[in-house]
Amino acid sequence: MLDMILTSIIYLLLAIGVFFNLLAGIGLLRFPDVYTRLHAGTKCTTFGSIFIIGSVILIGLKTWYLGDVNGSVLTIHSAVALIAILLTNPTGAHAIARAAHRSGVMPENAVIDELQIKGKKQKKTEKKETEDHT
Amino acid sequence: MIELSTEYFIVLLALFLCVAMAMIRIVKGPTAPDRVVGFDTINTIVIVSMVIFGAAYQTVIYIDVAIVYALLSFVSTLFIARYLQGGDF
Amino acid sequence: MISFIITTIICFITYLLLTTGSGSFLGLWSIEEILIGLILSLITGFITHGLFVKNNMRMANPMRWIYFIGYLIGPFFVSLAKANIDVAYRVITGKIKPGIVKIKPDLKTDLGITMLANSITLTPGTLSVDIDETTNELYIHWINVDEDALKKKPVDCKYICGNFPKWIRRIAE
């Protein structure tokens, strides 16, 4: 009975994770520009991996409970991989977004873009300074 | 004898579908940052599918590979972003 | 000296986590692995103690770590779930109204700003794009801009990250 409940929880977690990962793929294809694609590609894959790796952790705990040392390795190493994903994914997204904005890709039909305004102001002041020097 | 049970096979097939969609984005993507976004998504999905492989085959070495892959892909993403934004390294 | 000890202990714990299942000591490790790990983490701690721990002991307070874990499983996970349902809705319907806005979170330490930027990236509809390092202002890409929020510049934090700055001030400052 307990075994059946555990197995169905594992299947449920796998299904949720796969659903969100598929959503990330569809979002990558449907959204119009880099920033919105980053929304889909970062959030959905991170959330999906939490659920899929969570189900693997449950499988590992089950094998560990049944007396197999391999189960401990499965549990702890999957948890370390999950921590690595959680730490690196948002940082990578931030780096890509900043690089995209600095290399001149602007958000499509944006309502407001305060970063661009700030960049223009900076360029103006730099120009003035160079003119003063010359 | 190694055999993959059906449910893991379905999960891996779905993850492969995600990789295929991200690859379409890489081929189509009009600008370079679009391609980097697709590349980053593929990295995360590959890590997850390595963990699933490890659970399916009961081979824990795959998960160690996944950890190393996660850290290395993070470094490569940072370097590509750094290259795209221009300026000094 | 104290930074050397902290670095060594953290390296040793990481080594132990990565080598479980190698022997029978405490059911998980072999004696050789523990010895090698101890030697390696002593060497690593000697080389890198100046890089890893700076000269303040703010994070040594255990209450901060309890707050951190509470933050992770409480407000953070809830807003992560909300974020994904929100993105799912926008993927399916295609309704977007993007824009980049500036917020001023009033955090001073590097650790606090890093945590806030990562939290913002993983919460509903927002993505941190750039940071002004002199004034600690963040530039946020917002997928569905609220017209009410634009009346006041810089935009109020509560539209974008709720009460996250309060939590992070408790954890990291």
mmCIF file of all heavy atoms in Angstrom, chain C residues 113-129:
data_model
loop_
_atom_site.group_PDB
_atom_site.id
_atom_site.type_symbol
_atom_site.label_atom_id
_atom_site.label_comp_id
_atom_site.label_asym_id
_atom_site.label_seq_id
_atom_site.Cartn_x
_atom_site.Cartn_y
_atom_site.Cartn_z
ATOM 1 N N ILE C 113 22.395 41.915 -2.726
ATOM 2 C CA ILE C 113 21.986 42.273 -4.089
ATOM 3 C C ILE C 113 21.953 41.026 -4.967
ATOM 4 O O ILE C 113 21.022 40.832 -5.760
ATOM 5 C CB ILE C 113 22.966 43.317 -4.659
ATOM 6 C CG1 ILE C 113 22.685 44.680 -4.037
ATOM 7 C CG2 ILE C 113 22.837 43.410 -6.151
ATOM 8 C CD1 ILE C 113 21.496 45.366 -4.625
ATOM 9 N N THR C 114 22.965 40.131 -4.808
ATOM 10 C CA THR C 114 22.982 38.917 -5.612
ATOM 11 C C THR C 114 21.753 38.072 -5.346
ATOM 12 O O THR C 114 21.101 37.574 -6.272
ATOM 13 C CB THR C 114 24.244 38.105 -5.283
ATOM 14 O OG1 THR C 114 25.338 38.975 -5.308
ATOM 15 C CG2 THR C 114 24.432 37.007 -6.284
ATOM 16 N N MET C 115 21.420 37.908 -4.038
ATOM 17 C CA MET C 115 20.252 37.094 -3.707
ATOM 18 C C MET C 115 18.984 37.699 -4.256
ATOM 19 O O MET C 115 18.124 36.998 -4.791
ATOM 20 C CB MET C 115 20.125 36.950 -2.190
ATOM 21 C CG MET C 115 20.919 35.810 -1.626
ATOM 22 S SD MET C 115 20.849 35.819 0.148
ATOM 23 C CE MET C 115 19.138 35.490 0.394
ATOM 24 N N LEU C 116 18.856 39.042 -4.161
ATOM 25 C CA LEU C 116 17.633 39.688 -4.653
ATOM 26 C C LEU C 116 17.533 39.533 -6.164
ATOM 27 O O LEU C 116 16.450 39.231 -6.690
ATOM 28 C CB LEU C 116 17.617 41.162 -4.271
ATOM 29 C CG LEU C 116 16.333 41.849 -4.686
ATOM 30 C CD1 LEU C 116 15.193 41.351 -3.843
ATOM 31 C CD2 LEU C 116 16.438 43.334 -4.561
ATOM 32 N N ALA C 117 18.665 39.701 -6.892
ATOM 33 C CA ALA C 117 18.606 39.596 -8.352
ATOM 34 C C ALA C 117 18.219 38.180 -8.776
ATOM 35 O O ALA C 117 17.395 37.992 -9.665
ATOM 36 C CB ALA C 117 19.948 39.983 -8.954
ATOM 37 N N ASN C 118 18.798 37.171 -8.104
ATOM 38 C CA ASN C 118 18.445 35.794 -8.457
ATOM 39 C C ASN C 118 16.995 35.501 -8.120
ATOM 40 O O ASN C 118 16.311 34.821 -8.888
ATOM 41 C CB ASN C 118 19.362 34.813 -7.730
ATOM 42 C CG ASN C 118 20.659 34.613 -8.451
ATOM 43 O OD1 ASN C 118 20.894 35.268 -9.458
ATOM 44 N ND2 ASN C 118 21.487 33.732 -7.961
ATOM 45 N N SER C 119 16.502 36.015 -6.974
ATOM 46 C CA SER C 119 15.104 35.782 -6.621
ATOM 47 C C SER C 119 14.184 36.441 -7.630
ATOM 48 O O SER C 119 13.179 35.850 -8.027
ATOM 49 C CB SER C 119 14.803 36.337 -5.237
ATOM 50 O OG SER C 119 15.722 35.879 -4.308
ATOM 51 N N ILE C 120 14.541 37.663 -8.071
ATOM 52 C CA ILE C 120 13.691 38.366 -9.030
ATOM 53 C C ILE C 120 13.627 37.596 -10.336
ATOM 54 O O ILE C 120 12.570 37.471 -10.951
ATOM 55 C CB ILE C 120 14.217 39.799 -9.240
ATOM 56 C CG1 ILE C 120 13.809 40.676 -8.079
ATOM 57 C CG2 ILE C 120 13.667 40.393 -10.510
ATOM 58 C CD1 ILE C 120 14.415 42.031 -8.131
ATOM 59 N N THR C 121 14.782 37.026 -10.761
ATOM 60 C CA THR C 121 14.763 36.281 -12.018
ATOM 61 C C THR C 121 13.824 35.088 -11.946
ATOM 62 O O THR C 121 13.213 34.722 -12.934
ATOM 63 C CB THR C 121 16.181 35.829 -12.356
ATOM 64 O OG1 THR C 121 16.976 36.987 -12.486
ATOM 65 C CG2 THR C 121 16.226 35.065 -13.633
ATOM 66 N N LEU C 122 13.692 34.472 -10.768
ATOM 67 C CA LEU C 122 12.860 33.271 -10.686
ATOM 68 C C LEU C 122 11.429 33.546 -10.248
ATOM 69 O O LEU C 122 10.681 32.611 -10.041
ATOM 70 C CB LEU C 122 13.499 32.262 -9.730
ATOM 71 C CG LEU C 122 14.768 31.620 -10.251
ATOM 72 C CD1 LEU C 122 15.357 30.712 -9.219
ATOM 73 C CD2 LEU C 122 14.505 30.838 -11.499
ATOM 74 N N THR C 123 11.025 34.814 -10.096
ATOM 75 C CA THR C 123 9.664 35.079 -9.625
ATOM 76 C C THR C 123 8.811 35.702 -10.737
ATOM 77 O O THR C 123 9.335 36.071 -11.764
ATOM 78 C CB THR C 123 9.690 35.996 -8.405
ATOM 79 O OG1 THR C 123 10.529 37.086 -8.708
ATOM 80 C CG2 THR C 123 10.186 35.283 -7.196
ATOM 81 N N PRO C 124 7.487 35.822 -10.530
ATOM 82 C CA PRO C 124 6.558 36.053 -11.626
ATOM 83 C C PRO C 124 6.883 37.216 -12.530
ATOM 84 O O PRO C 124 6.999 38.344 -12.075
ATOM 85 C CB PRO C 124 5.222 36.309 -10.930
ATOM 86 C CG PRO C 124 5.370 35.800 -9.597
ATOM 87 C CD PRO C 124 6.793 35.684 -9.274
ATOM 88 N N GLY C 125 7.023 36.952 -13.819
ATOM 89 C CA GLY C 125 7.026 37.984 -14.839
ATOM 90 C C GLY C 125 8.197 38.927 -14.853
ATOM 91 O O GLY C 125 8.154 39.923 -15.553
ATOM 92 N N THR C 126 9.254 38.689 -14.083
ATOM 93 C CA THR C 126 10.349 39.650 -14.034
ATOM 94 C C THR C 126 11.681 38.956 -14.262
ATOM 95 O O THR C 126 11.833 37.771 -14.010
ATOM 96 C CB THR C 126 10.393 40.355 -12.672
ATOM 97 O OG1 THR C 126 10.314 39.368 -11.666
ATOM 98 C CG2 THR C 126 9.272 41.304 -12.525
ATOM 99 N N LEU C 127 12.654 39.739 -14.752
ATOM 100 C CA LEU C 127 13.979 39.203 -15.089
ATOM 101 C C LEU C 127 14.975 40.335 -14.917
ATOM 102 O O LEU C 127 14.804 41.395 -15.506
ATOM 103 C CB LEU C 127 13.952 38.718 -16.542
ATOM 104 C CG LEU C 127 15.199 38.164 -17.157
ATOM 105 C CD1 LEU C 127 15.325 36.721 -16.751
ATOM 106 C CD2 LEU C 127 15.104 38.229 -18.649
ATOM 107 N N SER C 128 16.006 40.133 -14.082
ATOM 108 C CA SER C 128 16.943 41.231 -13.874
ATOM 109 C C SER C 128 17.881 41.334 -15.063
ATOM 110 O O SER C 128 18.439 40.338 -15.505
ATOM 111 C CB SER C 128 17.717 41.025 -12.579
ATOM 112 O OG SER C 128 18.295 39.764 -12.552
ATOM 113 N N VAL C 129 18.042 42.554 -15.612
ATOM 114 C CA VAL C 129 18.848 42.744 -16.809
ATOM 115 C C VAL C 129 20.196 43.368 -16.486
ATOM 116 O O VAL C 129 21.223 42.894 -16.928
ATOM 117 C CB VAL C 129 18.095 43.615 -17.833
ATOM 118 C CG1 VAL C 129 18.968 43.919 -19.011
ATOM 119 C CG2 VAL C 129 16.862 42.906 -18.307
#
